[in-house]
Amino acid sequence: MNTDSHAFIFLSACVVNNFVLASFLGICPFLGVSKKVDTALRMGIAVLLVMLVSSAAAFGINLVLQSFDAEYLQLVSYIAVIASTVQLVEMIIKKFSPSLFRALGIFLPLITTNCAILGVALFQTSREYSFSQSLVFALGAGAGFTLALWLMSGLREESEFADPPKLIKGTALSLMIAGILSMAFMGFAGLGA
Amino acid sequence: MSNFFATTLSTSPHVKDQRSVPYIMRHVVYATLPLVGFAFWNFGWSALLVVATTSFFCVLSEGIFNLLTGRASSVGDYSALITGILLGLTLPPAFPLWMAAVGSIFAIIIGKAIFGGLGHNPFNPALVGRAFLQAAFPAAITTWSIPQAPQRFASLLPSTLAFPFSTPNLDGSAGATPLALQKFSQTASPWQDLFVGTSAGSLGETSALLILLCGLYLALRKFLDWRIPLGILATVAIFSGILHLVNPNFASPLAAIFSGGLMLGAFFMATDMVSSPVLPRATWIYAVFIGILVVVIRIWGGLPEGVMYAILLGNAISPQLNRLIKSTPYGHGNKAGHGNKAGQGSKA
């Protein structure tokens, strides 16, 4: 059992060990869908949703696997759970917001291979979080992911007006912004410890 | 009458003043010179060499970058010089010069030039350079020399002239900053010492009094937005005042605002016109946000000082503040009925 308080788990997953800016997980959608603030926010919420559902499912599956002494199946079964959760979210979004579905494009099915989500499932297992701790952890991770996307999209929208040298225009510039943002997040190191 | 016909007619905004970018920047440089002088008096030749190195390499990298990318030279607008001086003022006195040079190049190239130069940098370039140095050389940037050392005008500190890319020989007898004393051994420094500035710390951050005077000069001449330093300092004073009442081990409000890089950051870094928000309301939120983060990092974080990170994070949210807080165009007031129509009109 893990004795960390819920507030600490949330803060740690959201800010101190932010999945994108401190652990460098989920960089693909972070760079892919951070061009516009609106899309970025919705992507963040979609990821948050998938994280919550797959975290709850992973907790149950882990219990079942442990009772069979079959923990070696964790990775495979987590991936299967995440893939089906993403399918679910994809169907919901397609039904209720076709425009968002088009805006997210390939990055929506790609949530399946988003290492941040697999990270949530694996971290919560290895840290032996209880069910409620797991959910708070997933919530914090998703909120942190959304926060990173929100900050990044604002900076990128502003850099649209900039006049960077040809060499660095586009992805290279985004990576540089992400790097500086990550350096700024180093200030949270050790917070609450 | 010939003058009348020579007048060009144009739409707003109209420039009513002779002020240009180089003019403003030149006055900011003047305002930092007393701080450089004080750093020299407090820490000796090593301090002056650090500031000279950062200034030289900042201006040099700006010039070389302009040459390589075929842009008009922007060396003459003094902005690279300011970045250099400010970066130098945030470094410890015994900082090896080669590291200072690396930080300056990083500040100008990564912090500003790749975004297209002055006016486009989302973060304060000097702080980007310092954050890089903090990540790359954590030991050297937290080794503080004793202020008012007797041989400061006779000899250089041993690590100043460390050979490039070698590990510097850091002074073991180094002093601790007032903030580190407060955080790790709960020893409060009298705020009077912090105010005058004969305490250990980064080059330009020690004298609150001098920074206040230089900052007031800039604020009175409207070279900086007075709301930002006022908002940051008031937030830090109130927040740490409450915490001090709860637990007297935390710094008192006066010690909190006069110690560390808070004064320097609030007056010279957070007020960067490019990386701070535009409208007054957004500016207040930005300042309060920075103030809260400073106290949170100082008290609950792993580092004794968080001003640099707080301002960088403030810079990171300022595009969002600019986006969310907009001025209402004249005639589109928030009166019931009118506001709705205006909203629909702009969407259509």
Side-chain angles (χ1 to χ4, degrees):
Chain A
M1 275 307 283
N2 194 304
T3 52
D4 291 343
S5 74
H6 289 89
F8 175 73
I9 292 175
F10 181 84
L11 198 73
S12 169
C14 180
V15 186
V16 183
N17 297 310
N18 186 294
F19 269 56
V20 180
L21 296 171
S23 309
F24 309 114
L25 296 169
I27 298 292
C28 165
F30 174 68
L31 292 173
V33 247
S34 56
K35 266 194 191 124
K36 284 216 168 81
V37 177
D38 291 341
T39 336
L41 268 181
R42 289 168 184 181
M43 179 68 178
I45 290 162
V47 168
L48 176 82
L49 208 69
V50 176
M51 275 180 175
L52 267 180
V53 176
S54 56
S55 158
F59 186 82
I61 286 172
N62 189 42
L63 284 184
V64 176
L65 289 180
Q66 270 175 349
S67 68
F68 287 118
D69 266 346
E71 277 105 336
Y72 56 88
L73 285 176
Q74 264 173 5
L75 201 60
V76 182
S77 40
Y78 286 174
I79 291 175
V81 166
I82 292 168
S84 30
T85 318
V86 171
Q87 282 294 312
L88 197 73
V89 172
E90 206 179 331
M91 281 190 279
I92 295 172
I93 292 181
K94 196 173 185 179
K95 168 83 179 143
F96 289 105
S97 175
S99 60
L100 176 61
F101 184 77
R102 276 193 300 277
L104 291 178
I106 185 66
F107 290 102
L108 190 56
L110 271 183
I111 299 181
T112 316
T113 54
N114 185 344
C115 47
I117 294 168
L118 187 62
V120 167
L122 289 175
F123 281 142
Q124 75 175 30
T125 317
S126 69
R127 291 176 193 169
E128 298 181 336
Y129 285 151
S130 70
F131 185 67
S132 63
Q133 280 175 324
S134 300
L135 284 187
V136 169
F137 180 61
L139 201 67
F145 185 83
T146 314
L147 175 73
L149 266 180
W150 182 71
L151 288 175
M152 184 68 180
S153 57
L155 290 165
R156 276 183 77 174
E157 269 194 8
E158 195 142 290
S159 77
E160 291 281 301
F161 304 110
D163 170 34
K166 238 184 195 164
L167 182 71
I168 202 148
K169 212 167 193 159
T171 315
L173 191 67
S174 307
L175 280 167
M176 291 296 177
I177 300 177
I180 300 176
L181 205 52
S182 169
M183 283 203 301
F185 263 68
M186 283 176 63
F188 292 118
L191 202 68
Chain B
M1 282 306 273
S2 63
N3 234 352
F4 176 79
F5 292 107
T7 310
T8 18
L9 296 177
S10 69
T11 54
S12 64
H14 303 291
V15 178
K16 292 179 290 189
D17 206 337
Q18 295 298 313
R19 286 180 179 188
S20 57
V21 171
Y23 177 83
I24 295 174
M25 294 294 177
R26 207 173 68 233
H27 281 81
V28 180
V29 171
Y30 294 158
T32 56
L33 288 181
L35 302 180
V36 176
F38 186 82
F40 175 54
W41 177 73
N42 208 12
F43 297 108
W45 283 109
S46 290
L48 200 63
L49 277 179
V50 169
V51 179
T53 308
T54 50
S55 311
F56 175 74
F57 277 93
C58 277
V59 175
L60 188 73
S61 6
E62 176 111 350
I64 290 179
F65 188 87
N66 285 334
L67 268 183
L68 287 181
T69 52
R71 287 162 187 248
S73 174
S74 52
V75 170
D77 69 9
Y78 293 92
S79 66
L81 183 61
I82 291 182
T83 302
I85 295 177
L86 288 181
L87 175 63
L89 289 177
T90 62
L91 296 175
F95 203 63
L97 296 182
W98 74 266
M99 293 180 184
V102 172
S104 314
I105 297 168
F106 191 91
I108 289 294
I109 303 294
I110 307 292
K112 189 172 83 176
I114 59 165
F115 295 98
L118 184 68
H120 298 299
N121 48 303
F123 298 94
N124 182 310
L127 288 181
V128 171
R130 195 188 191 278
F132 168 75
L133 290 174
Q134 174 104 42
F137 311 113
I141 209 163
T142 48
T143 304
W144 313 100
S145 312
I146 301 157
Q148 305 284 317
Q151 313 88 6
R152 64 188 190 278
F153 297 119
S155 63
L156 293 176
L157 294 161
S159 52
T160 302
L161 290 180
F163 195 73
F165 304 105
S166 71
T167 316
N169 183 14
L170 293 169
D171 187 6
S173 68
T177 62
L179 272 175
L181 286 173
Q182 178 83 40
K183 181 160 185 136
F184 301 119
S185 52
Q186 272 85 41
T187 317
S189 312
W191 68 265
Q192 292 87 346
D193 289 1
L194 300 173
F195 189 63
V196 177
T198 48
S199 50
S202 298
L203 296 179
E205 72 178 22
T206 53
S207 174
L209 171 68
L210 208 55
I211 299 171
L212 202 61
L213 289 176
C214 298
L216 278 181
Y217 164 74
L218 289 179
L220 286 176
R221 296 214 50 190
K222 297 195 174 141
F223 293 131
L224 60 80
D225 188 348
W226 56 272
R227 294 175 188 89
I228 297 174
L230 184 69
I232 294 176
L233 296 176
T235 310
V236 171
I238 294 169
F239 193 10
S240 51
I242 296 170
L243 290 171
H244 183 64
L245 282 181
V246 176
N247 181 352
N249 272 345
F250 297 144
S252 69
L254 277 180
I257 59 170
F258 292 147
S259 59
L262 184 63
M263 277 281 175
L264 189 67
F267 279 103
F268 286 95
M269 320 266 180
T271 50
D272 184 334
M273 292 174 189
V274 185
S275 51
S276 57
V278 180
L279 288 179
R281 260 182 307 157
T283 307
W284 284 117
I285 299 176
Y286 166 83
V288 171
F289 176 80
I290 292 176
I292 290 174
L293 274 185
V294 167
V295 180
V296 166
I297 293 177
R298 275 184 183 179
I299 293 204
W300 292 289
L303 302 162
E305 177 62 307
V307 171
M308 165 180 74
Y309 292 116
I311 296 176
L312 283 175
L313 290 163
N315 292 343
I317 64 156
S318 65
Q320 291 289 2
L321 290 176
N322 280 338
R323 211 178 65 88
L324 294 172
I325 298 168
K326 288 181 179 146
S327 60
T328 332
Y330 184 70
H332 292 246
N334 282 334
K335 279 179 225 158
H338 287 285
N340 247 342
K341 263 186 203 162
Q344 282 165 2
S346 64
K347 256 181 205 165

